[in-house]
Amino acid sequence: MNRNDPLLEFADVTIAAAPLGHAALCHVNPRFLPGTLTLIQVEPGNEQLPLADLAEGLLCPEEGCILFQGEAWTAMPPERALQRRSQIGRVFDGHGWISNLDVNENVTLSQQHHTRRPVAEILAEAEALARAFGLSGLPRTRPSLVPHQELRRAEWIRAFLGSPLLVLLERPMRGVPLEHVPRLIGAVREACARGAVVLWLTDNDRIARHAALPPAARYAMRGVTLARIENG
C-alpha cells in the first residue's frame, strides 16, 4: 500500500442511531490517506459518534462499508480483523479501562498480546511517552485511583504505543488542561510523519484552530451528515 491508497475509507456509510448510544450517520464518505490528520468537529448534544467503532470494524453499517488497508472489515476472517485492529490506537470517548488491571497493564496489554517485543522494550517506550505527555511516569495502580487528567493522558500513551497505523482520538483533551495540547499535537505530528492516519474528534474550537496543528482535512457534523469544511 502506498501513500496514494487510503488506509481507511468510509464508502457511503449509513447507520441508525442506537438508543442511549451513538448518533446516526447518513451517507458518510471520507477517505483517509497515510500521513494525514483529519479533524472532525462534533456538535453539542451530538458528541457520541460511531465513527471510531466503525473505523475499527466493531460496528456494521446498515448501508455502505468501511475498508481498512483496502479490505472491507466485513470480508475479513476474524483472525485477520484482530491482527488489523492491533495496528489501531485509540483514545475512547467513554470509559476505556479494564478496572481489575493496573494502568500500566492496561496500556501495554495490546502490545504484549499482539507483538513479540520484549516487555522491557514496550515499558521503556511507554515510559518515554509518559514523560513526553508531561507525566512523571506510567501510572502503576488501578485506573479508579488515578486523577482523571492523568488517566486521560495515560490513554494517549496507549493510543500511540507501538507506532500504530491508525490513531483514533475521541475528544482526547476532555478533562485535560489546554496547556498540555502541544504535547498531544507533537505526538500527532510524529505519527503523521511516519505515515500514520490520525482521526481527531473535538468539540473545542480552540483546539481545532490551534496554531501548532499540522495541515489537516477538516469536517464538521451537520445533523446526521459529515460535511467537509476546508483544508487547513
Side-chain angles (χ1 to χ4, degrees):
M1 179 168 286
N2 62 49
R3 291 207 171 205
N4 294 319
D5 297 324
L7 177 78
L8 175 69
E9 181 175 3
F10 284 60
D12 203 22
V13 168
T14 293
I15 187 169
L20 303 178
H22 61 74
L25 296 174
C26 188
H27 300 300
V28 170
N29 285 290
R31 304 165 79 239
F32 306 94
L33 297 177
T36 61
L37 167 65
T38 298
L39 286 160
I40 297 178
Q41 290 188 258
V42 302
E43 296 176 308
N46 195 30
E47 296 94 348
Q48 307 299 318
L49 298 177
L51 288 167
D53 282 343
L54 289 166
E56 285 196 276
L58 299 175
L59 286 176
C60 288
E62 276 84 38
E63 298 178 26
C65 66
I66 299 97
L67 297 99
F68 184 73
Q69 294 183 302
E71 186 175 10
W73 282 112
T74 51
M76 294 182 203
E79 296 80 10
R80 184 149 72 241
L82 188 63
Q83 190 276 332
R84 296 280 170 84
R85 288 192 190 102
S86 73
Q87 300 172 316
I88 300 173
R90 179 172 176 180
V91 172
F92 291 84
D93 198 69
H95 185 73
W97 298 101
I98 300 172
S99 59
N100 62 347
L101 294 180
D102 288 343
V103 172
N104 61 305
E105 295 170 323
N106 270 275
V107 166
T108 60
L109 183 63
S110 177
Q111 285 289 293
Q112 293 195 53
H113 180 73
H114 291 291
T115 76
R116 296 182 177 180
R117 299 176 68 193
V119 173
E121 178 183 305
I122 297 170
L123 285 171
E125 184 189 356
E127 290 288 354
L129 283 167
R131 292 191 293 274
F133 292 143
L135 297 169
S136 58
L138 186 61
R140 296 172 183 270
T141 188
R142 293 290 195 258
S144 61
L145 301 176
V146 178
H148 178 79
Q149 67 155 287
E150 294 182 17
L151 195 60
R152 199 63 168 162
R153 282 182 282 159
E155 283 199 68
W156 301 358
I157 300 170
R158 184 174 58 186
F160 288 94
L161 187 66
S163 302
L165 294 176
L166 172 63
V167 182
L168 303 167
L169 304 174
E170 296 181 287
R171 297 193 292 170
M173 290 299 299
R174 197 155 57 112
V176 180
L178 279 177
E179 67 189 60
H180 292 296
V181 72
R183 301 179 188 275
L184 182 57
I185 290 174
V188 168
R189 282 185 170 277
E190 290 180 11
C192 291
R194 62 173 168 75
V197 166
V198 180
L199 177 57
W200 185 336
L201 279 66
T202 181
D203 55 0
N204 187 322
D205 193 59
R206 290 178 63 190
I207 294 171
R209 300 292 170 188
H210 198 284
L213 282 169
R218 295 174 183 273
Y219 291 82
M221 287 304 302
R222 302 283 190 255
V224 297
T225 63
L226 188 62
R228 183 75 176 258
I229 51 177
E230 64 180 290
N231 286 315

